[in-house]
Amino acid sequence: MSSVQAAIKEFIKKELAVGLSRDIDPDEDLFTSGILDSLAILQLVMFIEEQFGVEVPDGDVVFENFHSVTAIQQYVNGREAQVR
Amino acid sequence: MTRYLLSHAIDDGAARHPSHAAVKLGTSELTYEALALKSNQIANYLVGEGVKKGDRVGIYMNKGLNTIACLYGILKAGGVYVPLDPFAPVARIAYVIEDCGIEIVFSDEGKKSEIPELLSQVSGALRVAGPDLTDGELDHQITWGSVWQDMLTSSPRLSQVEGDLAYILYTSGSTGKPKGIMHTHRSGLSFAEWAAECYGLVSKDRLSNHAPLHFDLSTFDYFAGHIAGATTVIVPEAISKFPASMTRFIEDHEISIWYSVPFALIQILLRGAIDSHDLGSLRWVLFAGEPFPPKYLRDLMAKLPQAEFSNLFGPTETNVCTYYHVPRRGSLSDDPLPIGRPCHNVEALVADEKDDPVADGEVGELLIRGGVVMEGYWGMPDRTQARFLVKELAPGVTQRFYRTGDLVRASEDGNLNYLGRKDRQIKTRGYRVELDEVELALLSHPSVEQGAVYLVSDEEGSNLILAAAVLHESEFVTPKDLLDHMAQQLPPYALPVRIDLAKELPRTSTGKVDRMKLAAEVERATTA
C-alpha cells in the first residue's frame, strides 16, 4: 500500500467516517456506499491540498477523481507529477 | 383521453411516442413503451402477490431505471408507493414500514447488505422483491429476471379512481418520529398539470431528477415531465455530491429544466467550475425547499443569461407548490424573494388567530384549499383534523383549508412575502422573535456562505438563540463582525447569544439545514 493511499484511508477513517469499524476497500465507491457525504468532500479536498502540497481546482473535484481511495490516490499522483 | 391516474401519463406517452426516452440514467434509458411494459409487469407481479387497492408498497433503493418502473407499477396495481430513504438508518426505515403496514418492499443490489438487518427489525412479515440474492437467504424472494420473463405485459384490469391514494411521503416530525403525508392521484395530477403548463414543458425537454423520491420535488421531475412526454434524467447519487460533476451532467445531458434545493445550485455556482462548461441548454432553473439568498441568485442569473428562474413554495402537505414567483433580472434587491402569487389551482386565505381574513398588508397564517392538499397524515386522524380549518358556507356545505403554519404578508404589488414559520416564532426573555428573520439577517452578510439560527433551552428553561455560519473561502471575519452586521437590522433581544463558525452545516437527507441536529449537538456538549 502506498503512503498516499494509507494517508487518505487514515484521514477518512479518523475524520470523516467516524464510527466505521470495518476496513475500506480501496476500490469501493465511497459515496454510494454511504461512507462519505457531500459535506465530506470539502474536507477531503482541503486535506489533500495541505498534506500533499497540490492545488485542487474546482473543476477537478468530480466523481471520477474522488469516488474511491484508488481514484483519489491516482489523482494525487497525477497532480504531484505535474508540480515536479 | 381524460387523464385521472398518474400512470396514464406513461400509457399516453407509450401510445404517442413509444420510442421516446421517458427516463435516462447515464447511457441507459427506458423508452415510454418500455416503461409502460415494465410497470405493467411489476403491477401484475404485485396483483399476483395479493396486493389490493390502497396497499402500501415500499421502494428501498437508489434511484435507477427499475426504481421508476416500480413506482408506476405500484400505482398500476392500485397500490400506494412509499419511498424509503436509501441512506436513512435501518431503524428509521423499519419504523416507516411498520407505521404504514408495508408488506412488500422493492429493493436492489445496492441495498443487499442492509436487507437482513431490516428483516430482523421488522416484526411483521415482509417480502423483499428485487435483489438477486443467490444464497437463498430470503423466503418469497423474486428477482428482476423472473419479473421480466414471467409476467404479463398488459396492464392489470382494476377499477381505480382519481381519489385513490397514490403515495405517502414521510417527513421529519417535530416530535422526532417521521409522519406520513398521504396524497392521491388527484393531488399528484393537480400539481403536475399546473407545473407542466406553467413552465411550458414539452416532449423535447430534458428534466433533471436531483431530489430523492421521498422528497416531494421528485413528483415534478417524474409526473410533470411525463405528462409533457419529456425525458427525465436521473442525477446519480454519486454525482450529486460533486458540484463540478453536476455542472458537467447538465452540459452532457443538455438538461433544459433543472429543479433542486437552492443548496445544490449555490454549490454549482461557487464550486461547479461553471465558467468552463456550456450550460446554454437550461431554459428553466427551478428551486424550492429553502429561501434562495438573493446575493447568490443574482450571480447565478448573470452566469445563465438565457435561463428563467422560479421559486416554488409550499409544504409537502400541499404537494410541492401553492405559491410561485419568477424573479426578473435586474430587479433583485437584497430583500428576501417574495413567494409570489398563488398557483391557479389553489385558493388561499391569509387569516388571523380567529381564522378571519387579515387586512391587506397585515401578517397572517397562510391557509390553502385545492386539489393539491393532502388527504391527511397516515394513522393520525387527530393530528390531521387539527391541521384543517373547516368553513361552513351553508348547512352541510363545507370548505376544507389546510393550515400551513407559514406566516405571510401581502406587499403593495400583490406578491406575498414569507415571514417565517408560525412555530419558528419564539419568545425569548419575553420578546417575540422570528427565527427566520434572524437567519436572513445573518445570511445577508457578504462573507457568509451558509447560516442557520436555532434554539436551545438554557438551564432556567428559557430560549437561547444560537447561530452557526459557514464563511466563504478566504474570508476573515469574526463572529463579532457578523453580530455587528446583524445588529443593524435586528433589535438587541433578537441577536444570537453566540455565533459559531463552522466548516459545514449538518443537512437532512433532503438537503435542508438540520437545525434539530445543531441544537442537539450543543445540548449534548453542555450536558457532557
Side-chain angles (χ1 to χ4, degrees), chain A residues 16 29 31-34 36-43 46 49 58-67, chain B residues 62 87 111 237-245 248 263 267 270-273 450 473 503-507:
Chain A
L16 303 179
D29 189 316
F31 294 90
T32 46
S33 65
L36 297 185
D37 63 13
S38 49
L39 297 172
I41 291 173
L42 286 178
Q43 295 187 37
M46 280 191 275
E49 290 187 328
D58 286 342
D60 282 1
V61 187
V62 291
F63 175 70
E64 290 79 354
N65 292 338
F66 282 85
H67 67 96
Chain B
N62 290 332
F87 296 102
K111 291 283 104 188
E237 300 288 355
I239 278 184
S240 70
K241 313 284 192 281
F242 296 92
S245 293
R248 206 176 60 195
F263 180 64
Q267 292 301 307
L270 298 178
R271 306 195 173 82
Q450 302 167 43
E473 275 171 58
K503 281 184 186 166
E504 62 201 22
L505 297 181
R507 292 198 173 255

Side-chain angles (χ1 to χ4, degrees), chain B residues 432-489:
Chain B
R432 199 156 89 176
V433 176
E434 302 287 351
L435 292 181
D436 290 308
E437 202 182 337
V438 182
E439 200 163 284
L440 287 167
L442 173 63
L443 284 168
S444 71
H445 192 286
S447 299
V448 173
E449 185 189 313
Q450 302 167 43
V453 169
Y454 58 101
L455 215 55
V456 293
S457 303
D458 67 8
E459 284 163 4
E460 288 83 46
S462 72
N463 287 321
L464 284 184
I465 303 172
L466 297 184
V470 178
L471 300 181
H472 284 288
E473 275 171 58
S474 62
E475 294 279 350
F476 298 100
V477 294
T478 63
K480 170 140 192 338
D481 298 332
L482 299 178
L483 275 174
D484 290 345
H485 171 80
M486 294 168 79
Q488 292 169 20
Q489 304 168 54

Side-chain angles (χ1 to χ4, degrees), chain B residues 195-447:
Chain B
E197 188 190 315
C198 181
Y199 299 109
L201 303 187
V202 291
S203 63
K204 67 169 194 253
D205 270 322
R206 296 160 79 89
L207 288 75
S208 64
N209 170 224
H210 181 272
L213 287 186
H214 64 278
F215 195 8
D216 62 349
L217 271 65
S218 63
T219 65
F220 171 86
D221 306 338
Y222 292 104
F223 301 139
H226 289 157
I227 279 174
T231 303
T232 302
V233 191
I234 295 169
V235 183
E237 300 288 355
I239 278 184
S240 70
K241 313 284 192 281
F242 296 92
S245 293
M246 284 194 282
T247 314
R248 206 176 60 195
F249 168 89
I250 295 170
E251 182 179 37
D252 288 351
H253 291 282
E254 298 177 68
I255 297 298
S256 58
I257 317 282
W258 175 272
Y259 187 23
S260 73
V261 284
F263 180 64
L265 286 164
I266 295 168
Q267 292 301 307
I268 287 174
L269 171 72
L270 298 178
R271 306 195 173 82
I274 195 165
D275 291 328
S276 45
H277 293 276
D278 175 7
L279 304 187
S281 60
L282 282 173
R283 178 163 101 64
W284 275 107
V285 175
L286 310 178
F287 48 92
E290 283 190 312
F292 204 136
K295 61 182 178 186
Y296 295 129
L297 186 54
R298 256 195 314 261
D299 288 353
L300 191 63
M301 286 173 125
K303 298 276 185 197
L304 302 170
Q306 83 292 347
E308 290 196 84
F309 291 73
S310 182
N311 180 42
L312 288 80
F313 178 86
T316 307
E317 284 88 342
T318 59
N319 213 359
V320 190
C321 188
T322 52
Y323 269 70
Y324 74 109
H325 178 62
V326 181
R328 298 288 167 208
R329 281 190 168 71
S331 68
L332 226 52
S333 70
D334 277 334
D335 298 335
L337 289 181
I339 60 171
R341 293 172 188 279
C343 306
H344 66 61
N345 56 346
V346 304
E347 182 186 332
L349 170 69
V350 181
D352 62 17
E353 295 292 332
K354 293 183 189 132
D355 296 326
D356 293 321
V358 299
D360 277 351
E362 296 286 315
V363 179
E365 182 185 1
L366 181 64
L367 280 76
I368 294 290
R369 178 173 170 254
V372 290
V373 174
M374 67 167 178
E375 285 296 291
Y377 299 110
W378 175 266
M380 299 176 163
D382 294 344
R383 191 164 182 146
T384 300
Q385 203 188 358
R387 298 305 299 173
F388 283 97
L389 164 69
V390 179
K391 279 201 157 191
E392 193 166 60
L393 294 185
V397 183
T398 54
Q399 290 183 333
R400 204 171 82 125
F401 284 86
Y402 171 69
R403 299 177 190 274
T404 64
D406 293 325
L407 296 173
V408 295
R409 180 169 51 207
S411 59
E412 280 176 9
D413 60 10
N415 280 318
L416 221 53
N417 288 297
Y418 171 73
L419 303 175
R421 294 282 307 159
K422 214 173 160 185
D423 52 18
R424 291 259 289 160
Q425 183 185 70
I426 57 109
K427 284 229 173 152
T428 175
R429 288 170 268 165
Y431 293 102
R432 199 156 89 176
V433 176
E434 302 287 351
L435 292 181
D436 290 308
E437 202 182 337
V438 182
E439 200 163 284
L440 287 167
L442 173 63
L443 284 168
S444 71
H445 192 286
S447 299

